[in-house]
Amino acid sequence: MPTPPSSLGTPHTILLATSSAYDHASLAQTLARHGYHVHAVSRGDEALAAARSGDVALAIVDVALAGSASLELCQMVRQLCGPGVPLYLLSTAPNAEEHARAFHIGATDYLPLSMEADDLADKILVRLNVMLPAPATRALPTMATLEVNYHTMLAGSPDTILLMQRGSNLLLDVNRRARQHFGLTEAELVQTRLPSLCPPLQPDGRASTEVFAEQVDAVMAGATQMVALTMRHSTGRLIDCELRMVPLNSGDHRLMHVRVVDVTARNRAAALRNGKNKLLEMIARSAPQGETLERLMQLIESQSADVLCTVMLLGPDGRTVAAASGPSMPSAYLDALVGLPIGPAAGSCGTAMHRRATVIVADIDNDPLWAPYRAAASRYGLRACWSIPIMQDSSTVIGSFAMYYRSVRAPDAEELALIGAAAHLAGIAITRTRREEELLRHREHLEELVAARTLELMRSKDQAEQVNEELTAALENLSLTQDELVRRDKLAALGALVAGVAHELNTPIGNSLVMASTMSERTAELRRELEGGLRRSVLETYLDQAASADQVVLRNLNRAAALVASFRRIAIDGAQSQRSRFRLGEQVGELLHALEADLRRQGVTLEQELDQSLELDSYPAPLLQALRQLIDNAVVHGFGSGKDGRTGTLRVAAHDSGEEVVIDVIDDGIGIAGGNLPRIYDPFFTTRMGAGGSGLGLYVTHNIVTGVLGGHIDVASKAGLGTRFTLRLPKSAPL
C-alpha cells in the first residue's frame, strides 16, 4: 500500500482555487484521512501565494478564475508549482474547445465543477499514488457496459414510482404501489397525463396544470428536486403529496423519474398541532367560549373525512342537556337536543355523560342506545356517532364531544386519540370560562361587600370621631386632674419628708433642750448656794452634772448635725459634682482600701474583683457616695454593727457588659425580708429606727444611680441568704 505523504516529508497541500461554491469541506474530510490538507482560496492572488509556498502536492483551478481564453492563471500556477505537480481544471460548462486549451497549457485533467467531492477525492488519491485504481474484472460488468431493467427495479420499489415523458407529461410506466396510491389500474394510469391525477385547482386556487409546469421547469433548471402537489384518489379524496423528480435521458427519449410520497398524515398532524396551539392561545386570552368550541370542532372536522362534530353541555341540574352546538350540523337537529335527559340509553352523548365513559355507536340504525332518537338521526342521514364525556375533573361531567358520520363505521386507534384530545381541549375551554364567570360573580359580590363595608366604615369613622372628641375632652380633664394629683403627691411627699425630718431631729434637739433646761435650773440653785456660802461638795456635784450634761448635749447636737448632712445629700445633683474621665478600678479601690480596716474590726471580710481597664466619663464623687451607702447598709443591716454583730463576707465586683458597666455589692448577711423589698428605696424607711438607721441611705443611693449617673439599680435578696445590689451604669453619664 502507498505511503502517506506525512511520513515521507513530501508536499501534502491540495490547492483548491474556485470562485464558485464547492463542497471543499467534504473533500478536505476525505483527504485528511490520507494525510493531505485542502487549502481553499477564491481569488487569483491568493492562489499564486499558495503556489509559491512549495508545499503544493496537487493544484485544482476553476476555469472561471483563469482570466481570458489563454488561461493565464493556470499557466502561472503551473510555472510556480513545477511540471511535476498535477494540475486539474474545473469548468462549470465543459466543452471540447476549452478541453483542448486546458491540455495545451499542461493541465493534468479537465473535469466538470459539478463532480461530487468523493469522486474528485478518489481521482486525486489515485493520481498521487495514495490509492490504487479499482481492478477490472472480466466476470463483472463495468458501469459503461452495465444495463439495468428499469421496469423491474420500478416494480419492486415500496414507494409510488412513475416514469413520465417530459414535455407531454404522459406516464409511460408505473409500479404496483402507484396503482394502490391512486386507486387506478395500470391500464388506467399508463398514457394518462400526470397533471390529470390532480384536482383542477390546487389549495392556493391556481390551476394544477400551471403549477405542475412551473415545478417541472424548476427541476430541469436544477433549482429543486422535490415539489409539493395536491393529488386526487379515484374516489375523489385529496392526497397531499411530495414529488421527487429526477430527469433521465436515454437516447432520444426525454424522461422523468417521479417518486410520490403521501404526506397527508404528516400535514394533518402538523395542522392538528398548530390548531391545538391556537386553541390554547384563544383559551389563554379568554376568547368567547362559543368561538373557541366552534374552532375546535372545525379543527377535528379537518382531520377526518366526512365527520360532523358537536358539543353538548350538561345543565346545572346534572340531568338534562342545556346547550348543543356544531358548525356543520343542521340547526334543527341541534335545537332538538336541548332539554333531552341523559341516561343509560340516551343515544351516544346522553349515555356517555351518564356513564362518564366513551360510547361508540358504529351503526345508529341497529344500536339500542339510539332507539328513542333513531328517527331523528335517520332524517338527517346520520349513521354513526362516537361520543366522549367532557370532564371538569375526575368525577364531574360538564358535557360531551361527538363525531357523527353519514356512513356506518367504527373508529381506529388514531381516531380514538383524536376524539380524546378534542374532549380534553373542550374541557379546558369550558372550565376556564366557568371559572372566569365564577370569578366575575365573586368580583361583583365583592364589590357589593366592599360598598357595604365602606358605608359601615364611614359610619364607624363618624362614631370614632365623635368618641375621639369625647376622649379629647376627657383627656384634657384627666390632664388637669393629673396635674392636680401630681401637685398633691408632691405636697404629700414634701409633707412626709418634713414629718420625717422633724421626727428624726426632734429626739436629739429635745434631749439637748431637756438637758440645757436642767442645767439652767442647777445653775440657778448654784447661785443661791453661792450667796449663802458655797460648799466644796456642792460645787463638785454641779461640775459633775455639768460635764455629764455637756456630753449629752454634744452627742445629740452631733446627731442632729449628721442628720442635717444626710438630708442635704438627698438633693444632690450633677451640677454640684465634678464630671471627669476616670478609671473605675482606681477610684473604687481607694474607697475599699480606706474602709477595709474598719470593716475588719467589725468582723467583715472585704473581697474585690475589679476590672482595672474600665473607664467611665461620669461623676466619681456621687458614685463613691452610692457605693459607700451600700457598704454601710450591708454592715448595719446585713451583719449588725456593734458588739452583737455577726461576721461575714462583703464582695464588690465590676465588669464590662458592652455599653454598660455592671457593679455588684454582695453580702452573705441576714438578707432582706420579702415584705420589705418594695419599700427599701422609700425615704425614712428603716428596720433599725433608733439603732443607728435613718432610712435615707438606700433612698440617696437610688437617687444618685438613677439621676446623676443615669443608670439603674436592682436588688436580689432572701432572708438568711444575703443580698446582692447590682448597679448598671452607662460608660458616659448623661449631661
Side-chain angles (χ1 to χ4, degrees):
M1 183 172 183
T3 305
S6 58
S7 62
L8 299 175
T10 58
H12 63 281
T13 297
I14 307 299
L15 174 61
L16 176 62
T18 173
S19 61
S20 305
Y22 191 83
D23 189 11
H24 59 80
S26 298
L27 180 65
Q29 184 177 6
T30 303
L31 295 177
R33 295 198 299 269
H34 300 278
Y36 286 95
H37 166 68
V38 174
H39 181 55
V41 298
S42 60
R43 299 204 315 263
D45 58 342
E46 295 176 338
L48 294 177
R52 291 190 188 98
S53 66
D55 191 38
V56 177
L58 184 144
I60 306 170
V61 180
D62 186 351
V63 172
L65 286 179
S68 64
S70 59
L71 306 176
E72 293 89 352
L73 178 63
C74 299
Q75 297 183 51
M76 296 175 69
V77 171
R78 162 60 70 205
Q79 292 173 1
L80 291 171
C81 291
V85 175
L87 175 62
Y88 287 177
L89 297 188
L90 300 180
S91 177
T92 56
N95 56 74
E97 181 184 355
E98 193 176 67
H99 185 274
R101 283 190 282 113
F103 281 97
H104 176 70
I105 66 168
T108 307
D109 209 342
Y110 176 79
L111 305 171
L113 185 63
S114 59
M115 174 177 282
E116 295 291 333
D118 291 340
D119 295 337
L120 180 58
D122 287 343
K123 292 183 71 67
I124 292 172
L125 294 172
V126 170
R127 183 67 188 183
L128 297 176
N129 296 321
V130 177
M131 291 176 51
L132 297 175
T137 305
R138 293 182 180 180
L140 296 176
T142 64
M143 293 302 297
T145 61
L146 182 62
E147 293 184 1
V148 178
N149 188 318
Y150 180 84
H151 180 80
T152 302
M153 183 180 68
L154 180 148
S157 175
D159 298 323
T160 297
I161 304 297
L162 310 174
L163 182 63
M164 184 188 75
Q165 184 180 40
R166 297 203 309 269
S168 66
N169 297 330
L170 287 174
L171 296 180
L172 304 178
D173 199 1
V174 299
N175 66 350
R176 177 174 301 181
R177 178 63 185 143
R179 298 196 293 270
Q180 297 172 352
H181 187 100
F182 294 104
L184 298 171
T185 64
E186 182 177 358
E188 290 173 323
L189 286 171
V190 174
Q191 300 303 316
T192 298
R193 298 183 188 278
L194 193 149
S196 67
L197 298 177
C198 301
L201 299 177
Q202 289 295 302
D204 60 0
R206 300 172 61 197
S208 294
T209 54
E210 178 185 352
V211 174
F212 184 73
E214 290 180 359
Q215 293 175 339
V216 171
D217 291 342
V219 171
M220 294 306 300
T224 183
Q225 286 186 338
M226 190 278 290
V227 297
L229 200 67
T230 297
M231 307 189 79
R232 182 173 55 186
H233 193 267
S234 61
T235 60
R237 175 172 55 87
L238 298 181
I239 310 171
D240 294 333
C241 298
E242 287 182 353
L243 280 62
R244 290 170 172 79
M245 302 184 189
V246 179
L248 299 176
N249 293 321
S250 177
D252 297 333
H253 301 290
R254 295 183 302 158
L255 307 176
M256 183 75 77
H257 174 85
V258 183
R259 176 171 171 260
V260 183
V261 178
D262 185 351
V263 294
T264 304
R266 187 186 71 188
N267 290 350
R268 285 182 178 174
L272 179 61
R273 183 170 57 254
N274 294 336
K276 287 180 179 179
N277 292 337
K278 291 180 180 178
L279 280 169
L280 292 174
E281 290 177 3
M282 293 177 66
I283 295 172
R285 66 171 185 264
S286 301
Q289 176 179 295
E291 180 181 339
T292 304
L293 294 178
E294 183 172 347
R295 179 70 64 85
L296 171 62
M297 289 182 280
Q298 290 172 345
L299 174 63
I300 301 303
E301 288 176 353
S302 69
Q303 293 290 308
S304 181
D306 303 326
V307 66
L308 307 173
C309 296
T310 64
V311 170
M312 297 171 58
L313 300 180
L314 187 62
D317 58 5
R319 296 189 301 271
T320 58
V321 177
S325 60
S328 303
M329 291 292 284
S331 57
Y333 179 78
L334 296 174
D335 293 341
L337 298 176
V338 178
L340 293 178
I342 66 172
S348 300
C349 297
T351 305
M353 286 188 279
H354 175 76
R355 294 179 181 176
R356 296 182 175 82
T358 303
V359 174
I360 304 298
V361 175
D363 185 358
I364 290 177
D365 290 348
N366 297 298
D367 196 298
L369 296 179
W370 275 84
Y373 317 109
R374 188 172 296 140
S378 178
R379 185 181 308 119
Y380 297 103
L382 305 176
R383 296 298 310 277
C385 180
W386 317 331
S387 183
I388 184 172
I390 301 172
M391 308 294 292
Q392 178 173 304
D393 49 45
S394 60
S395 60
T396 306
V397 179
I398 56 178
S400 67
F401 189 95
M403 296 171 64
Y404 287 85
Y405 290 90
R406 299 188 186 277
S407 60
V408 175
R409 58 173 297 182
D412 56 22
E414 182 178 349
E415 289 169 326
L416 285 174
L418 183 63
I419 192 173
H424 179 66
L425 289 172
I428 294 175
I430 297 171
T431 302
R432 172 64 180 267
T433 300
R434 292 189 175 184
R435 290 282 186 263
E436 290 180 349
E437 292 174 350
E438 184 177 357
L439 286 174
L440 180 60
R441 290 194 298 271
H442 284 308
R443 188 180 300 114
E444 293 173 350
H445 180 58
L446 182 60
E447 290 176 354
E448 295 175 358
L449 291 177
V450 169
R453 183 58 177 166
T454 301
L455 180 60
E456 181 181 349
L457 289 174
M458 291 298 293
R459 292 173 180 170
S460 299
K461 177 176 175 293
D462 295 339
Q463 295 175 357
E465 289 177 351
Q466 181 179 355
V467 172
N468 188 48
E469 292 176 357
E470 296 174 355
L471 287 175
T472 301
L475 183 60
E476 292 177 355
N477 294 332
L478 181 61
S479 179
L480 295 175
T481 304
Q482 183 180 14
D483 293 341
E484 179 66 18
L485 289 175
V486 169
R487 187 179 65 82
R488 292 181 181 180
D489 287 344
K490 288 181 178 179
L491 291 176
L494 181 60
L497 180 60
V498 171
V501 170
H503 174 75
E504 290 295 324
L505 291 177
N506 184 57
T507 299
I509 294 175
N511 291 337
S512 298
L513 289 175
V514 170
M515 191 57 63
S517 176
T518 301
M519 289 307 300
S520 178
E521 293 177 356
R522 295 290 176 89
T523 300
E525 291 178 359
L526 182 62
R527 288 184 184 277
R528 288 193 296 271
E529 289 287 340
L530 182 59
E531 292 176 355
L534 183 64
R535 291 178 297 171
R536 182 180 179 88
S537 60
V538 173
L539 180 59
E540 289 179 351
T541 299
Y542 174 80
L543 292 175
D544 290 339
Q545 291 177 345
S548 177
D550 288 343
Q551 292 178 358
V552 172
V553 170
L554 184 60
R555 184 169 62 252
N556 282 278
L557 290 177
N558 286 333
R559 172 62 177 165
L563 288 174
V564 171
S566 298
F567 299 153
R568 289 182 60 190
R569 287 198 298 270
I570 297 174
I572 189 169
D573 59 18
Q576 297 174 335
S577 303
Q578 185 68 33
R579 182 189 182 103
S580 64
R581 175 172 289 276
F582 60 92
R583 289 185 178 274
L584 180 65
E586 294 178 359
Q587 296 286 339
V588 177
E590 292 177 1
L591 172 66
L592 298 181
H593 180 72
L595 297 176
E596 187 173 11
D598 186 55
L599 292 174
R600 190 181 301 113
R601 285 194 300 272
Q602 299 184 62
V604 178
T605 301
L606 180 63
E607 296 179 354
Q608 54 180 306
E609 184 180 339
L610 305 174
D611 186 348
Q612 298 298 322
S613 64
L614 291 177
E615 284 192 0
L616 293 180
D617 181 8
S618 189
Y619 301 93
L623 173 59
L624 297 179
Q625 179 183 347
L627 291 176
R628 176 65 183 267
Q629 291 286 359
L630 291 175
I631 293 172
D632 290 344
N633 185 76
V635 172
V636 172
H637 298 281
F639 300 112
S641 60
K643 62 180 181 180
D644 297 329
R646 54 183 289 183
T647 61
T649 302
L650 178 67
R651 185 163 68 92
V652 179
H655 65 275
D656 191 344
S657 66
E659 297 296 326
E660 295 179 328
V661 170
V662 178
I663 303 175
D664 289 317
V665 179
I666 308 169
D667 68 73
D668 56 0
I670 63 175
I672 302 173
N676 294 333
L677 280 175
R679 302 180 59 196
I680 60 175
Y681 300 124
D682 293 347
F684 303 107
F685 173 75
T686 179
T687 58
R688 294 178 63 86
M689 183 63 68
S694 66
L696 295 175
L698 291 181
Y699 175 69
V700 171
T701 300
H702 184 273
N703 286 351
I704 292 174
V705 173
T706 60
V708 177
L709 303 179
H712 185 73
I713 182 170
D714 293 321
V715 62
S717 180
K718 287 187 178 180
L721 298 179
T723 303
R724 174 196 291 263
F725 282 95
T726 300
L727 279 62
R728 300 183 183 275
L729 307 177
K731 293 182 178 179
S732 179
L735 297 175

